Amino acid sequence: MAHADAVESMLRSLLDDRPRDGEVARPSGLMQAIRHGALSGGKRLRPFLLLESAALFGATGPAPLRVAAALECVHCYSLIHDDLPAMDDDDLRRGQPTVHRAFDEATAILAGDSLLTYAFDIIASDETELPAERRIELVTRLARAAGLGGMAGGQFLDLTAERQTPGEEGILRLQAMKTGALIRFACEAGAIVGQASPADRERLAEFGSAVGLAFQLADDLLDLTSDAATLGKAAGKDAAAGKATLAGLHGIDWTRRQLSGLMDQASDLLRPFGAAGTMLRTAARFVVERNH
Amino acid sequence: MAHADAVESMLRSLLDDRPRDGEVARPSGLMQAIRHGALSGGKRLRPFLLLESAALFGATGPAPLRVAAALECVHCYSLIHDDLPAMDDDDLRRGQPTVHRAFDEATAILAGDSLLTYAFDIIASDETELPAERRIELVTRLARAAGLGGMAGGQFLDLTAERQTPGEEGILRLQAMKTGALIRFACEAGAIVGQASPADRERLAEFGSAVGLAFQLADDLLDLTSDAATLGKAAGKDAAAGKATLAGLHGIDWTRRQLSGLMDQASDLLRPFGAAGTMLRTAARFVVERNH
């Protein structure tokens, strides 16, 4: 995918060892760990959604790619911290050792902290060539999607869910926070970067919510039906951890029907954009049909 | 101190359980841990410096206190993560159990992540009543002070310093990053909030650098000369960890002379402001003379 290559290359240039104005130095050991966590491939789904959503509104200039790279920094920070022994305790990520395995725990914590912080730097930078008002809007939306009422809060709920099984409503809220918020942000941010109308921006955010929920259902399904070799990480972990998922609760057939319904919903939301929405529709389908 | 109370009360209202627009929910268990880490007193030195620096330029409205609260969120996040077993492994902070002790490690990691993220939300918010350009400037400066080329990078260097003893230049760089950058930001941010001229802004940033270095020297001195009861945390840890400090390298008398020199330098930087600079001068002296 051309988008994934462009994002990789933008991240590579942002995450080099050269200190920028206002930075004292970039410790090379820390930068190595950061690059290990951020440049190790990955599907770059969130950047893809952001870039295609921005393209829908004719966004040009450096902003889409830079904001997409910032978003990927936040996603990678969350993976690094979620993989830690105190959290999900994963040794493998995308078939590679996780950051705390390749380096050590302290370095992994700091690499995650640094990527999260850097994301706001990238968005706020003049180099996006966006008006300050747009950048401020992106900072606010990203902070709310990633923070205590979004992704971080969702990860907290997910960890406690292993002890106190939540009901269906609880699972939906948990997932809207843990994985949904950042995917919703990806689509909404593309609309912000593309200076979309408030109505279109809300439409893209809703599209993002549908894709986010589908992403989580597809993930649960993979955990139920796949194996570690295909997945590039341990499989069957949800059930082993006694973690309640909608797929586990309602079974494989129900989940496949839900996914199909969400695809229809996502498609309907894109209808006003006609053929221009094709790539986003394809991305939504990719989310559902992926096998790793 | 009136400032500390105002900051405490602002933090308390920002860190309640009520989700804001764009947040799905604030998990109460996570919020408890966050409040444990952010509302447990503390000297509120960085907010004090920011508020007095802003006052020097006649800043009014909600911005100084809100930006000061955001800065304190970043400081508290760094304490929560630094205290983790994988980092400095501290059980006590301000005489209270650290967050991972009072809750658990995963919760402490997420509480820190959430506070860091929330700081950018607070600064970017319309409720600061600052022009978007000023808010963007604050986001950028804070990200660079806290991130891979500032505080987080400094903590990484500090952890590796226990294995590879750095020379004097290395120690200075480490400290400029680990503690200096955020104190420098406090003073510079006050000038930004107060719409100071570029020259005055630079002057305040330099004042912050001098105070930051003095803060670290005073801290090293306390570690050499104090005991755990006075300090509210374990003492003598630097030497026990084989950690090189300037105070350890040059001795107590040299360090006291350096501190006195830094106070003169800080005082000189404030000279153009006349009597208006008294509170900042007092703050600098407080940093040097504190005994815990």
Side-chain angles (χ1 to χ4, degrees):
Chain A
M1 291 199 298
H3 282 332
D5 290 345
V7 170
E8 187 85 11
S9 142
M10 174 58 77
L11 282 171
R12 199 172 287 280
S13 84
L14 288 165
L15 296 171
D16 63 18
D17 282 5
R18 182 175 56 84
R20 309 303 199 261
D21 173 47
E23 293 175 347
V24 180
R26 296 188 164 193
S28 65
L30 178 61
M31 297 310 300
Q32 277 170 37
I34 289 172
R35 286 191 293 264
H36 181 90
L39 299 178
S40 36
K43 294 177 289 289
R44 309 297 188 199
L45 168 68
R46 291 155 195 78
F48 183 93
L49 290 170
L50 195 154
L51 292 169
E52 285 301 333
S53 161
L56 203 56
F57 301 101
T60 54
L65 193 55
R66 286 187 165 264
V67 179
L71 172 56
E72 192 66 5
C73 286
V74 173
H75 174 57
C76 292
Y77 124 74
S78 78
L79 299 181
I80 296 171
H81 280 191
D82 286 2
D83 285 339
L84 285 166
M87 304 260 232
D88 299 346
D89 194 14
D90 274 311
D91 296 335
L92 283 177
R93 164 76 62 187
R94 298 166 189 155
Q96 296 289 319
T98 49
V99 177
H100 68 274
R101 278 293 180 182
F103 298 83
D104 58 36
E105 269 186 69
T107 302
I109 294 167
L110 290 168
D113 292 345
S114 298
L115 278 168
L116 170 59
T117 310
Y118 199 42
F120 292 104
D121 184 351
I122 297 168
I123 288 179
S125 165
D126 290 343
E127 296 180 69
T128 61
E129 298 177 15
L130 281 178
E133 288 77 9
R134 285 279 161 283
R135 286 181 267 162
I136 276 298
E137 221 170 335
L138 289 165
V139 167
T140 303
R141 290 294 122 194
L142 177 57
R144 301 215 170 157
L148 44 85
M151 187 177 63
Q155 172 69 357
F156 176 82
L157 290 177
D158 202 22
L159 292 168
T160 44
E162 288 173 21
R163 295 190 296 265
Q164 312 166 333
T165 310
E168 175 145 1
E169 200 184 327
I171 298 174
L172 279 167
R173 186 171 49 231
L174 186 166
Q175 294 181 345
M177 293 169 76
K178 189 182 170 178
T179 49
L182 215 58
I183 292 176
R184 181 183 166 99
F185 170 81
C187 300
E188 189 179 7
I192 295 173
V193 165
Q195 320 249 21
S197 70
D200 278 347
R201 183 178 144 173
E202 180 55 27
R203 184 172 282 278
L204 265 290
E206 278 181 41
F207 170 79
S209 286
V211 173
L213 185 51
F215 179 85
Q216 189 59 53
L217 285 171
D219 211 53
D220 296 344
L221 208 54
L222 278 172
D223 189 79
L224 280 178
T225 58
S226 191
D227 58 82
T230 317
L231 216 48
K233 61 181 180 186
K237 287 199 67 158
D238 295 343
K243 196 178 282 190
T245 68
L246 291 178
L249 213 63
H250 295 292
I252 291 173
D253 287 347
W254 177 91
T255 307
R256 292 210 167 115
R257 282 196 305 277
Q258 283 294 113
L259 280 171
S260 158
L262 284 166
M263 286 306 95
D264 291 346
Q265 190 187 322
S267 211
D268 284 351
L269 283 162
L270 296 177
R271 201 169 306 267
F273 306 108
T278 303
M279 285 305 282
L280 275 180
R281 220 172 272 117
T282 308
R285 199 163 309 118
F286 167 76
V287 159
V288 169
E289 289 165 7
R290 74 207 162 92
N291 65 352
H292 64 283
Chain B
M1 292 198 298
H3 282 334
D5 290 346
V7 170
E8 187 85 9
S9 143
M10 174 57 78
L11 282 171
R12 199 172 288 280
S13 84
L14 288 165
L15 295 171
D16 63 16
D17 282 6
R18 182 175 56 84
R20 309 301 199 264
D21 173 47
E23 292 174 350
V24 180
R26 294 186 167 196
S28 64
L30 178 61
M31 296 310 298
Q32 277 169 38
I34 288 173
R35 287 192 292 265
H36 181 91
L39 299 179
S40 37
K43 295 177 289 286
R44 310 299 189 196
L45 167 68
R46 290 156 196 78
F48 184 92
L49 290 170
L50 194 153
L51 291 170
E52 286 300 333
S53 161
L56 203 57
F57 301 101
T60 54
L65 194 55
R66 286 188 165 265
V67 178
L71 172 56
E72 193 66 5
C73 287
V74 173
H75 175 57
C76 292
Y77 124 72
S78 78
L79 299 181
I80 296 170
H81 281 191
D82 286 2
D83 286 339
L84 286 166
M87 304 260 232
D88 299 345
D89 194 13
D90 275 309
D91 296 336
L92 283 177
R93 165 74 63 185
R94 299 164 187 157
Q96 297 288 319
T98 48
V99 176
H100 67 273
R101 278 292 180 180
F103 298 83
D104 58 35
E105 269 186 67
T107 303
I109 294 167
L110 291 168
D113 292 346
S114 298
L115 277 168
L116 170 60
T117 310
Y118 198 41
F120 291 104
D121 184 351
I122 297 167
I123 288 180
S125 165
D126 289 343
E127 296 181 68
T128 60
E129 298 177 14
L130 281 178
E133 288 77 8
R134 285 280 161 282
R135 285 180 268 161
I136 276 297
E137 222 169 334
L138 289 165
V139 167
T140 302
R141 288 296 124 191
L142 178 57
R144 300 211 173 161
L148 45 86
M151 188 178 63
Q155 172 68 357
F156 175 83
L157 289 178
D158 202 23
L159 292 168
T160 43
E162 290 173 21
R163 295 190 294 264
Q164 313 165 332
T165 310
E168 175 144 1
E169 200 184 327
I171 298 174
L172 279 167
R173 184 170 51 229
L174 186 165
Q175 294 180 345
M177 293 169 76
K178 188 182 172 180
T179 51
L182 215 57
I183 292 176
R184 181 182 165 100
F185 170 81
C187 300
E188 188 179 9
I192 295 173
V193 165
Q195 320 249 19
S197 70
D200 279 347
R201 182 177 146 174
E202 180 56 25
R203 185 172 282 276
L204 265 291
E206 278 180 41
F207 170 79
S209 287
V211 172
L213 185 50
F215 179 86
Q216 189 59 53
L217 286 172
D219 211 55
D220 296 345
L221 207 54
L222 278 170
D223 189 78
L224 279 179
T225 59
S226 191
D227 58 81
T230 318
L231 217 50
K233 62 181 179 184
K237 288 199 64 157
D238 295 344
K243 196 179 280 189
T245 68
L246 291 180
L249 214 61
H250 295 292
I252 292 173
D253 287 346
W254 178 91
T255 308
R256 293 210 167 113
R257 282 198 304 277
Q258 284 294 110
L259 280 169
S260 159
L262 284 166
M263 285 307 94
D264 291 346
Q265 191 187 322
S267 212
D268 284 351
L269 284 161
L270 296 177
R271 202 170 303 269
F273 307 109
T278 303
M279 286 304 284
L280 276 180
R281 222 172 271 117
T282 308
R285 200 162 309 119
F286 167 76
V287 159
V288 168
E289 288 165 9
R290 74 205 162 91
N291 65 351
H292 65 278

